[in-house]
Amino acid sequence: MKLLSNENLLLRIKDLVSQERKINIEVLQHLRELESRKLFLDLGFSSLFRYVVSDLGYSEDEAYRRINAMRLLKDLPEVESKITSGSLSLTAASKIQKYFKAESQLKRKPTVETKLSLIASLEN
């Protein structure tokens, strides 16, 4: 890494974080497509989770967060802009999806409006 002035260093790190968020969204979009096509089965993996851990090299926690966040985006495409802007982290998106899944399993499936309202309350 070349030596940057303080001002340039601060500008560069903000730019890199912005790029990272955009790349995270692309990763989630690709995971969604991999799951939709069930390509992980063709590669000999029993689940998307196993593929993401074993072939992509994510830790189990990182894989879990990304898959949950991807499923939240699949259900609520509006969330994409919140993750891209940084107002909603992958961790928060993952936890929200886990909560929604638990509610659905208890036969208390939240409405889209309820989901979006909860997400709005958790931003930032």
Side-chain angles (χ1 to χ4, degrees):
M1 182 173 86
K2 66 180 182 176
L3 188 58
L4 300 173
S5 69
N6 289 349
E7 182 180 341
N8 285 340
L9 179 62
L10 294 171
L11 290 172
R12 182 72 179 133
I13 191 69
K14 286 183 180 186
D15 182 52
L16 288 170
V17 169
S18 175
Q19 289 177 45
E20 179 182 34
R21 289 183 183 134
K22 290 174 186 170
I23 290 170
N24 278 334
I25 291 297
E26 286 187 54
V27 168
L28 299 179
Q29 291 168 340
H30 281 72
L31 288 176
R32 181 180 59 217
E33 191 60 27
L34 282 166
E35 183 175 59
S36 154
R37 296 182 192 187
K38 299 199 181 319
L39 288 177
F40 55 88
L41 294 174
D42 296 342
L43 298 171
F45 295 98
S46 60
S47 67
L48 179 62
F49 177 80
R50 281 285 123 224
Y51 167 73
V52 172
V53 170
S54 299
D55 205 42
L56 298 183
Y58 284 107
S59 72
E60 290 187 356
D61 287 343
E62 291 169 328
Y64 181 77
R65 275 193 303 275
R66 280 160 182 77
I67 291 169
N68 271 344
M70 174 270 294
R71 290 183 177 148
L72 181 67
L73 284 178
K74 187 166 51 171
D75 292 342
L76 299 168
E78 305 90 333
V79 173
E80 184 175 313
S81 64
K82 297 175 187 308
I83 293 173
T84 302
S85 73
S87 67
L88 188 69
S89 69
L90 282 180
T91 300
S94 174
K95 288 180 179 181
I96 292 166
Q97 179 62 19
K98 182 180 175 184
Y99 170 76
F100 292 153
K101 182 178 179 182
E103 287 294 292
S104 292
Q105 289 173 339
L106 294 171
K107 309 289 188 236
R108 299 188 305 225
K109 188 173 181 178
T111 65
V112 170
E113 294 77 22
T114 301
K115 290 179 177 183
L116 291 173
S117 176
L118 178 59
I119 289 167
S121 73
L122 296 174
E123 286 184 71
N124 299 314

